[in-house]
């Protein structure tokens, strides 16, 4: 397998080999993050969010999620700027914990859980797409949903099966469509906002009981799910121009912009559609396409249908951005000797990791056959322990063990934001249903067993001195 070109290489042989190209500047990098973050998230999860606390007080979950995301975004920014390369978390965890020992374990566990959590996140977009399609396609059956998810997934793979400079242009196009959609919702909501509907709190809405905090945790997990993607540019670090500057700025800009947009979207909808009409979500079929109902109440079914098409565009933009970034993770792992060698192959003429793209795309399609609630719960829990919490500790280890490492961006007020993010992740994990916690711990335990078997077979740590290829 030919290794991708590294900065500074200039030999004729290297130039003839397949390699990743640095094509993503600040605009497409920000567009990639925002397209991923916006997507179908706020359009499909508002009913779930309101159901978590039984009323508009669930908006507190957005605030908790925003605090966690901003603080965690600083962790990603410092790591991404200091170690720009394909793979994101895989690379950060491996290098922070030491590539010869515990870094092998952390990197392996990240790839292990990612094989499940990555496709689950992409699948949530496919599910949202199918939910809104049911507003147009009346009487959409279960078999019809499966067929639709499959077709959308195949189209997504086909669009990404090309050179990165073409993808940058497609990303910006999808981003523009996403912004048009969300701005239309916010403008419409602002013109028809009714505070009596929006702030119709149920009795005892802010009773600080154990049940309230469990509900707040559920609402915050949904909020974090909707923000996921603020770090997506980190997964294609080898393809980002001036990464020390672009990565931190794209994370900050996209997080702040999307936070403002989310607040506008949520208040726009609950200020027009009474929350009791779609809460609890499980008892109201219309909750599957709440934004379409929102437009129908104001403009009628014709405009609502057109707007539903815009939501479908937005949902597709999200899964496009996700599969683009996530397909680079198994590639980076395989290139470094932590995953099956086939995943480290670049397309011989188009210079992208085609094996990884095809495999993750296929798994995402299958994962799209499950329910949205199941997908979100499994996704968040499997990521918290290794990826999010692991990176906070990893950043602190790097600050201590590699103080001279070039850091184009340094976390503001270090280590306070990292500690706030860590406490936030602990809160989200601790307030999850016990069965889901068992699932997350079980996945991690199986990953540890798989790591020991893999290490025994390859004579790596802790059974030998063999190290992964860097």
């Amino acid at each position: 397998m030919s290794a991708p070109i590294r900065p500074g290489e200039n030999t004729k042989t290297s130039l003839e080999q397949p390699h990743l190209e640095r094509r993503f500047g600040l605009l497409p990098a920000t567009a990639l993050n925002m397209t991923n973050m916006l997507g179908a998230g706020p359009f499909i999860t508002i009913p779930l969010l309101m159901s978590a606390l039984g009323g508009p007080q669930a908006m507190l979950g957005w605030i908790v999620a925003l605090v966690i995301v901003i603080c965690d975004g600083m962790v990603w920014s410092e790591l991404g700027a200091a170690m720009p390369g394909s793979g994101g978390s895989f690379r950060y965890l491996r290098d922070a914990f030491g590539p010869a020992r515990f870094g092998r374990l952390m990197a392996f566990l990240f790839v292990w859980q990612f094989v499940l959590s990555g496709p689950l996140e992409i699948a949530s977009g496919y599910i949202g797409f199918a939910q809104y399609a049911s507003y147009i396609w009346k009487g959409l059956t279960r078999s019809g949903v499966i067929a639709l998810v499959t077709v959308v997934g195949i189209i997504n793979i086909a669009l990404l099966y090309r050179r990165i400079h073409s993808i940058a242009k497609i990303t910006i196009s999808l981003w523009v469509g996403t912004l048009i959609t969300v701005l239309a919702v916010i403008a419409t909501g602002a013109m028809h906002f009714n505070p009596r509907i929006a702030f119709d709190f149920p009795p005892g809405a802010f009773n600080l009981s154990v049940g309230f905090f469990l509900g707040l945790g559920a609402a915050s997990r949904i909020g974090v799910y909707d923000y996921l993607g603020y770090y997506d540019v980190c997964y294609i670090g080898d393809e980002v121009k001036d990464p020390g500057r672009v990565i931190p700025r794209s994370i900050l800009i996209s997080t702040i912009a999307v936070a403002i947009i989310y607040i506008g979207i949520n208040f726009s909808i609950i200020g027009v559609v009474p929350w009791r009409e779609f809460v609890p979500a499980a008892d109201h079929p219309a909750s599957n396409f709440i934004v379409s109902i929102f437009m129908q109440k104001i403009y009628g079914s014709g405009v609502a249908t057109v707007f539903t098409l815009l939501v479908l565009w937005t949902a597709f933009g999200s899964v496009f951005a996700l599969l683009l970034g996530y397909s680079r993770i198994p590639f980076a792992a395989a290139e470094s000797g932590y995953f099956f060698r086939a995943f480290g192959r670049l397309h011989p003429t188009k210079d992208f990791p085609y094996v990884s793209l095809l495999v993750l795309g296929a798994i995402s399609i299958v994962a799209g056959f499950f329910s949205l609630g199941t997908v979100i719960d499994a996704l968040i829990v499997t990521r918290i322990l290794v990826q999010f919490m692991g990176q906070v500790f990893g950043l602190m280890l790097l600050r201590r063990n590699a103080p001279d490492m070039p850091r184009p961006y340094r976390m503001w007020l270090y280590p306070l934001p990292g500690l706030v993010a860590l406490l936030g992740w602990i809160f989200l994990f601790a307030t999850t249903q016990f069965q889901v916690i068992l699932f997350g711990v079980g996945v991690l335990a199986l990953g540890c067993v798989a790591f020991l078997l893999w290490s025994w077979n390859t004579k790596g740590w802790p059974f030998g001195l063999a190290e992964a290829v860097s």
Side-chain angles (χ1 to χ4, degrees):
M1 185 196 77
S2 298
I5 289 179
R6 301 301 180 193
E9 289 186 3
N10 193 31
T11 65
K12 184 176 184 298
T13 301
S14 293
L15 291 173
E16 293 174 348
Q17 295 176 343
H19 61 279
L20 299 175
E21 301 179 37
R22 293 192 179 275
R23 295 277 188 174
F24 267 61
L26 182 59
L27 179 60
T30 303
L32 177 67
N33 290 343
M34 289 185 64
T35 303
N36 185 352
M37 295 169 73
L38 289 171
F43 301 139
I44 64 177
T45 58
I46 290 175
L48 294 176
L49 181 75
M50 296 297 168
S51 298
L53 278 172
Q57 68 273 20
M59 290 290 290
L60 289 173
W62 284 104
I63 298 175
V64 173
L66 179 59
V67 171
I68 295 173
V69 165
I70 288 177
C71 292
D72 195 58
M74 295 185 192
V75 175
W76 282 90
S77 293
E78 179 165 330
L79 293 173
M83 296 180 285
S86 295
S89 297
F90 164 79
R91 189 178 298 267
Y92 309 152
L93 293 169
R94 182 196 64 185
D95 293 351
F97 288 87
R101 296 182 180 274
F102 286 103
R104 282 172 52 84
L105 172 62
M106 293 299 292
F108 181 91
L109 290 177
F110 166 72
V111 178
W112 174 268
Q113 63 83 27
F114 177 81
V115 170
L116 175 64
S117 68
L120 283 172
E121 187 174 354
I122 298 170
S124 68
Y126 293 152
I127 295 170
F129 189 100
Q131 287 182 347
Y132 272 86
S134 66
Y135 178 81
I136 300 174
W137 186 355
K138 306 296 182 183
L140 183 64
T141 63
R142 177 61 181 166
S143 59
V145 168
I146 293 175
L148 182 59
V149 166
T150 302
V151 170
V152 173
I154 291 174
I155 293 174
N156 194 23
I157 295 171
L159 284 176
L160 285 167
Y161 204 84
R162 63 190 66 239
R163 291 182 181 274
I164 189 68
H165 60 80
S166 299
I167 291 175
K169 296 175 182 178
I170 295 174
T171 299
I172 294 176
S173 299
L174 291 171
W175 178 50
V176 170
T178 298
L179 290 180
I180 291 173
T181 305
V182 298
L183 291 176
V185 172
I186 294 172
T188 300
M191 291 186 294
H192 300 85
F193 183 78
N194 186 335
R196 288 181 297 178
I197 295 177
F199 302 107
D200 178 21
F201 296 105
F206 297 98
N207 182 15
L208 302 181
S209 62
V210 173
F212 175 85
F213 286 104
L214 290 175
L216 180 62
S220 300
R221 283 193 302 277
I222 294 170
V224 167
Y225 161 78
D226 288 335
Y227 281 116
L228 289 180
Y230 55 94
Y231 46 74
D232 202 46
V233 67
C234 293
Y235 291 124
I236 59 169
D238 276 330
E239 297 159 90
V240 177
K241 297 178 182 178
D242 190 10
R245 171 181 172 273
V246 169
I247 288 177
R249 292 190 180 190
S250 65
I251 291 174
L252 177 62
I253 292 172
S254 58
T255 300
I256 293 176
V258 168
I260 295 172
I261 290 171
Y262 276 171
I263 292 172
I265 291 175
N266 278 271
F267 277 110
S268 294
I269 293 176
I270 67 173
V272 173
V273 183
W275 63 269
R276 289 179 174 83
E277 293 186 8
F278 57 84
V279 173
D283 298 336
H284 297 82
S287 66
N288 288 334
F289 36 78
I290 188 63
V291 178
S292 300
I293 299 300
F294 163 78
M295 284 294 182
Q296 181 177 300
K297 277 182 173 288
I298 298 173
Y299 300 118
S301 59
V303 172
T305 298
V306 173
F307 194 81
T308 300
L309 294 174
L310 289 176
V311 174
L312 295 178
W313 175 280
T314 301
F316 185 80
S318 174
V319 297
F320 178 89
L322 282 169
L323 187 54
L324 167 61
Y326 288 178
S327 63
R328 271 58 180 174
I329 295 174
F331 163 76
E335 184 191 25
S336 300
Y338 286 85
F339 207 52
F340 299 109
R341 184 174 300 178
F343 284 81
R345 295 175 184 167
L346 287 175
H347 193 279
T349 60
K350 299 180 180 179
D351 303 336
F352 68 93
Y354 70 101
V355 173
S356 182
L357 173 68
L358 292 174
V359 173
L360 263 67
I363 297 175
S364 300
I365 292 173
V366 175
F369 301 161
F370 296 91
S371 69
L372 181 63
T374 299
V375 167
I376 291 178
D377 283 345
L379 160 65
I380 298 297
V381 167
T382 53
R383 285 198 182 175
I384 285 178
L385 293 176
V386 175
Q387 184 177 20
F388 294 132
M389 293 177 64
Q391 285 186 175
V392 175
F393 287 114
L395 175 62
M396 296 177 179
L397 286 173
L398 284 172
R399 282 287 190 109
R400 186 188 68 182
N401 299 330
D404 297 328
M405 171 185 285
R407 292 179 170 85
Y409 168 85
R410 298 177 70 89
M411 176 186 287
W412 303 335
L413 302 176
Y414 175 85
L416 183 60
L419 295 176
V420 172
L422 181 61
L423 290 175
W425 296 126
I426 293 173
F427 170 70
L428 296 187
F429 188 82
T431 54
T432 306
Q433 291 184 351
F434 183 68
Q435 297 92 328
V436 180
I437 292 177
L438 285 179
F439 170 79
V441 173
V443 169
L444 187 62
L446 286 175
C448 291
V449 173
F451 171 77
L452 292 174
L453 292 175
W454 171 70
S455 295
W456 176 266
N457 185 58
T458 59
K459 300 300 185 291
W461 182 85
F463 301 108
L465 299 177
E467 298 182 13
V469 179
S470 59

